[in-house]
Amino acid sequence: MGLERLVYESTATGSTNSLGNLAVILAESHRNNARDGLSGALAAHADRYIQAIEGPRAALDALLRRLEDDPRHRDLRLLDRFTTDHRMFEGWTMANARVTPALERLLDTMMARDVPSPSWILMALREAVATAPDIECRRRQAG
Ligand SMILES: Cc1cc2nc3c(=O)[nH]c(=O)nc-3n(C[C@H](O)[C@H](O)[C@H](O)COP(=O)(O)O)c2cc1C
């Protein structure tokens, strides 16, 4: 009930190539999102973050406020937000969407356009999560 999904992009203030930066963000996300009933996927590429998050409306609102105050990125741009009756990232407290060369090309293409298509981004993130070979990229919510 009251399930929503959003997708946003932002500009990283630190390096998105740093595994350390990403690992810290993912660890915080796993901890909080398990508590808040949120699931989703995060991709870091070319100094940009692209993230899909889904769950109860109030939990999404609270997370958006924290994200807007987070100095590790800036210029957060909400690309889409809508109600839904199902989760695309069921069980993933926050999947690390591996940026394969194919996803990289897709993201580059989309980001060069004025209005990136949120549904493309969601599909690309879902695909990257589904095909991620590294168990660390596929850390699932316990239970
Ligand atoms: C790109 C990016 C993605 C993030 N994703 C999440 C997330 O999915 N869930 C979350 O709780 N925090 C996320 N954070 C961290 C939040 O901005 C914030 O620092 C954190 O929720 C505060 O947690 P705390 O109250 O436990 O200190 C993200 C931060 C960045 C920069």
Side-chain angles (χ1 to χ4, degrees), residues 105-143:
R105 275 196 301 280
L106 183 59
L107 292 174
D108 281 340
T109 307
M110 288 189 295
M111 291 309 157
R113 291 163 39 170
D114 282 345
V115 184
S117 160
S119 52
W120 280 21
I121 296 175
L122 283 170
M123 293 295 286
L125 285 172
R126 186 68 191 80
E127 182 71 16
V129 169
T131 59
D134 181 347
I135 196 74
E136 274 303 303
C137 295
R138 299 173 55 86
R139 187 147 28 134
R140 281 181 177 270
Q141 188 170 355

Side-chain angles (χ1 to χ4, degrees), residues 22 41-45 48-51 95-97 99 103 107 125:
L22 197 58
L42 173 67
H45 168 60
R48 276 206 151 96
Y49 290 115
I50 298 152
Q51 188 172 23
N96 176 8
V99 182
L103 179 58
L107 292 174
L125 285 172

Side-chain angles (χ1 to χ4, degrees), residues 59-111:
L60 278 181
D61 286 338
L63 177 53
L64 262 186
R65 282 193 293 271
R66 301 203 301 275
L67 285 167
E68 272 159 5
D69 283 345
D70 194 320
R72 290 172 290 186
H73 62 177
R74 59 182 166 79
D75 302 334
L76 189 158
R77 182 159 65 129
L78 193 61
L79 300 173
D80 206 359
R81 178 173 178 166
F82 50 90
T83 57
T84 179
D85 59 2
H86 71 284
R87 288 182 191 254
M88 277 179 85
F89 302 94
E90 177 78 54
W92 305 95
T93 49
M94 190 46 62
N96 176 8
R98 165 152 307 188
V99 182
T100 59
L103 179 58
E104 188 174 327
R105 275 196 301 280
L106 183 59
L107 292 174
D108 281 340
T109 307
M110 288 189 295
M111 291 309 157

